[in-house]
Amino acid sequence: MPIIRTITELTACGLAVALSPLDIALVFLLLLGATPFLRSGLFSLAWFFSSSAAIALLLTVGRSLTLSMERGSVQQVGLDLFAAGALLALGIRELDPKPEGYEDLSEGWIHKLEKVGQLPLLVMMLVAPLTLLLSPDNLFLLAKGAALVQGGNYETSSEIGLIIYFSLISSLFLLLPILLLLVGRQQVLPLLQKGKQLIEDRSSLILGGLSLGLAVYLAWQGWTGLGNFQIIT
């Protein structure tokens, strides 16, 4: 696969991972709290290394199982179509009208995040890999990212560069608020407050819409991969 195409598809997958409402809201809260740059920076760094380690591990496992991830292979098409189905189900669940009393059960989740932000630094940093790897949509996107890197049959140095690139893109919306706050604290703080409130009010809509969009994208990837399907004997 041409490296430009790999980078383009990695960018799409990385941006989808970056749009994690829970983690973005936590970074907003950390930036609004005590020692904002230290705590938000360490959390974002933990997210970056978790993403890199996950991709590297998936690559290692894929090769040890001799899985082929070239476009049109059985494994690549199967991954895309299976992920599309799972994300479609997740999106429908999030966008489905909630039963009466549901809001009372879920109310105050942002305040639970505030408690997470007050944990000791080491414990709080462990939250990053947990929220990254325990999210079904993130797991499928990480697997897709690893498949893209593996399917290109690149040199080891190029694969390391692609993994770092993917991790940077997937950390974009955690790092961007930190950089903006460094540039203009007084202007950015009100925006962080509004962003936190938006995520609190619309988290299901954001996650549901993102999941449906990813399901369509991966279904299209799987369908086009069927066009040059390779029978592996």
Side-chain angles (χ1 to χ4, degrees), residues 40-201:
S40 61
L42 287 176
F43 178 82
S44 301
L45 192 64
W47 175 280
F48 171 85
F49 282 117
S50 299
S51 175
S52 300
I55 293 287
L57 180 61
L58 287 168
L59 273 173
T60 303
V61 171
R63 288 204 172 99
S64 67
L65 296 176
T66 63
L67 296 179
S68 173
M69 285 299 172
E70 286 80 9
R71 188 171 182 79
S73 65
V74 173
Q75 291 89 350
Q76 190 264 357
V77 171
L79 172 64
D80 286 344
L81 295 180
F82 181 78
L87 289 169
L88 177 64
L90 177 63
I92 292 173
R93 187 193 70 184
E94 290 295 327
L95 294 175
D96 187 48
K98 303 299 186 292
E100 186 177 354
Y102 179 86
E103 292 184 357
D104 293 333
L105 294 174
S106 62
E107 186 179 5
W109 69 269
I110 201 82
H111 301 298
K112 295 177 182 178
L113 279 183
E114 289 176 344
K115 294 180 180 179
V116 172
Q118 295 168 1
L119 292 171
L121 279 177
L122 183 59
V123 178
M124 189 195 67
M125 289 175 67
L126 293 176
V127 174
L130 288 176
T131 55
L132 175 67
L133 300 176
L134 295 182
S135 173
D137 50 335
N138 284 346
L139 284 176
F140 287 122
L141 289 165
L142 289 169
K144 176 66 176 178
L148 288 169
V149 176
Q150 181 182 342
N153 296 316
Y154 303 114
E155 298 291 333
T156 302
S157 58
S158 297
E159 290 187 346
I160 293 173
L162 289 171
I163 291 172
I164 293 173
Y165 174 77
F166 178 88
S167 298
L168 283 173
I169 295 297
S170 67
S171 308
L172 181 63
F173 295 122
L174 304 183
L175 297 171
L176 189 58
I178 301 173
L179 296 175
L180 291 176
L181 196 63
L182 282 169
V183 173
R185 185 180 181 86
Q186 297 305 318
Q187 294 83 1
V188 174
L189 280 175
L191 296 177
L192 292 178
Q193 290 281 7
K194 292 179 181 179
K196 182 193 75 171
Q197 189 62 47
L198 176 65
I199 293 174
E200 182 178 7
D201 295 338

